[in-house]
């Protein structure tokens, strides 16, 4: 239940919510023009207030996207995926006409298997299908707040085991094999010695808003000090719980749309419902802190 009304007006822009749970379209900002201090203060606040902000009809170069992203924080490099040749900060998320799979077709939060998961993801639409290919998000503040006092107590101090590869709850398949036969996703071996299984609090506190949220994703494959068989029903329950439609928002992309979401308090899901069409997105992720 949302206890406060969401803020719509900022000094330099307006936020127009596109769902009850989260998500707002930002009006009055042209990202190809210099982003002044005050505009950035408002963008940042609107992002924290609405968890996901989207801009429409933007015409920006990769350089402009990179410099906007750097205002949020330093760039996070994906450990398993090959970035754009000329702009290593950007990962092209591509699905072509004959590809069966897409990237991100599970409820997840980016890089939650890393010690310091990405705090933000910025996706800029270069080419979109005539229909389909929407992104969905789910508000993990609301999902946490909706739990019973008993469940909140039970999970208060639990740590989830998140893994980026060979997830036990999904049959243990390696990422490289999962993306085999996909013409446009380029997985690579992660750097040697990189630990891609890490433990994080199941209930985390947002470092900027101070609000508690659930942190459970498709990367979660266990709970610290629990047997797999014990952890699985709880993980399954929470995965289902976070998908409740009232917690979610869905965005219909247009060419030139740009979305920025907060991986610390939302999960997201890329719809795979546009077979025969192509979708090309420029993605930048921003480094985050260790969840607490
Ligand atoms: C991602 C992702 C969602 C989408 O880039 O991390 O999950 O809709 N993308 O493409
Ligand atoms: Mn993702």
């Amino acid at each position: 239940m949302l206890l406060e009304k969401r803020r719509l007006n900022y000094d330099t822009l307006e936020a127009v919510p596109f769902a009850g749970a989260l998500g707002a379209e930002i009006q009055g900002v042209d990202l190809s023009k210099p982003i002044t201090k005050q505009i950035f203060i408002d963008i940042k606040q609107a992002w924290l207030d609405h968890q996901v902000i989207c801009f429409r009809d933007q015409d920006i170069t990769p350089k402009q996207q990179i410099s906007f992203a750097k205002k949020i924080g330093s760039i996070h490099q994906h450990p398993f995926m090959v970035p754009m040749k000329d702009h290593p900060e950007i990962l092209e998320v591509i699905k072509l006409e004959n590809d069966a799979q897409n990237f991100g077709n599970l409820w997840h939060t980016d890089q939650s298997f890393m010690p310091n998961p990405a705090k933000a993801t910025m996706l800029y639409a270069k080419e979109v299908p005539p229909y389909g290919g929407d992104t969905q998000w789910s508000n993990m503040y609301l999902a946490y707040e909706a739990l019973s006092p008993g469940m909140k107590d039970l999970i208060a101090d639990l740590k989830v085991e998140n893994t980026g590869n060979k997830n036990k709850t999904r049959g243990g398949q390696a990422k490289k094999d999962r993306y085999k036969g996909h013409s446009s996703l380029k997985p690579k071996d992660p750097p040697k010695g990189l630990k891609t299984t890490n433990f994080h609090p199941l209930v985390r506190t947002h470092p900027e808003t101070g609000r508690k949220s659930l942190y459970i994703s498709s990367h979660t494959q266990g709970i610290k000090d629990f047997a797999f068989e014990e952890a699985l029903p709880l993980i399954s329950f929470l995965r289902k719980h976070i998908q409740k439609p009232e917690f979610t928002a869905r965005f219909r992309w247009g060419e030139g749309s740009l979305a920025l979401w907060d991986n610390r308090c939302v999960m997201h899901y890329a719809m795979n419902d546009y077979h025969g069409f192509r979708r090309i997105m420029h993605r930048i992720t921003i480094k985050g802190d260790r969840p607490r």
Side-chain angles (χ1 to χ4, degrees), residues 103-104 106 108-111 121 219 261 263 268-270 283 285:
F103 184 69
L106 289 163
H108 67 286
T109 178
D110 290 333
Q111 304 287 305
T121 299
H219 304 132
W261 66 82
N263 280 307
H268 59 279
Y269 181 99
R283 173 200 201 253
T285 41

Side-chain angles (χ1 to χ4, degrees), residues 155-258:
I155 66 173
D157 298 316
L158 298 185
K159 294 245 186 325
V160 281
E161 178 189 353
N162 292 346
T163 188
N165 218 0
K166 304 186 183 170
N167 190 297
K168 282 188 273 187
T169 68
R170 301 206 307 270
Q173 197 184 23
K175 196 157 235 157
K176 262 187 115 170
D177 296 326
R178 244 176 70 216
Y179 290 140
K180 229 183 230 164
H182 192 294
S183 66
S184 29
L185 293 177
K186 300 190 199 90
K188 61 173 186 183
D189 286 322
K192 266 222 151 67
L194 181 78
K195 225 175 124 226
T196 56
T197 295
N198 284 283
F199 290 89
H200 293 303
L202 172 54
V203 179
R204 64 180 293 184
T205 303
H206 196 290
E208 295 185 85
T209 67
R211 292 178 71 187
K212 281 185 180 179
S213 67
L214 276 176
Y215 197 57
I216 176 102
S217 85
S218 61
H219 304 132
T220 303
Q221 63 161 14
I223 296 175
K224 192 165 189 287
D225 299 330
F226 279 53
F228 183 62
E229 295 75 14
E230 294 169 335
L232 199 54
L234 188 51
I235 293 170
S236 304
F237 162 72
L238 290 170
R239 276 198 188 142
K240 186 159 174 248
H241 171 73
I242 62 162
Q243 298 172 33
K244 195 171 178 193
E246 280 80 359
F247 306 146
T248 70
R250 176 169 174 161
F251 184 64
R252 168 86 199 111
W253 295 92
E255 194 185 304
S257 301
L258 182 144

Side-chain angles (χ1 to χ4, degrees), residues 267-280:
M267 297 289 143
H268 59 279
Y269 181 99
M271 305 278 297
N272 187 11
D273 58 352
Y274 52 98
H275 190 68
F277 298 110
R278 65 165 69 191
R279 181 179 186 269
I280 301 179

Side-chain angles (χ1 to χ4, degrees), residues 125-140:
K126 299 296 289 178
E127 254 190 89
V128 296
Y131 53 81
D134 295 358
T135 301
Q136 293 191 47
W137 295 274
S138 184
N139 183 330
M140 294 301 102

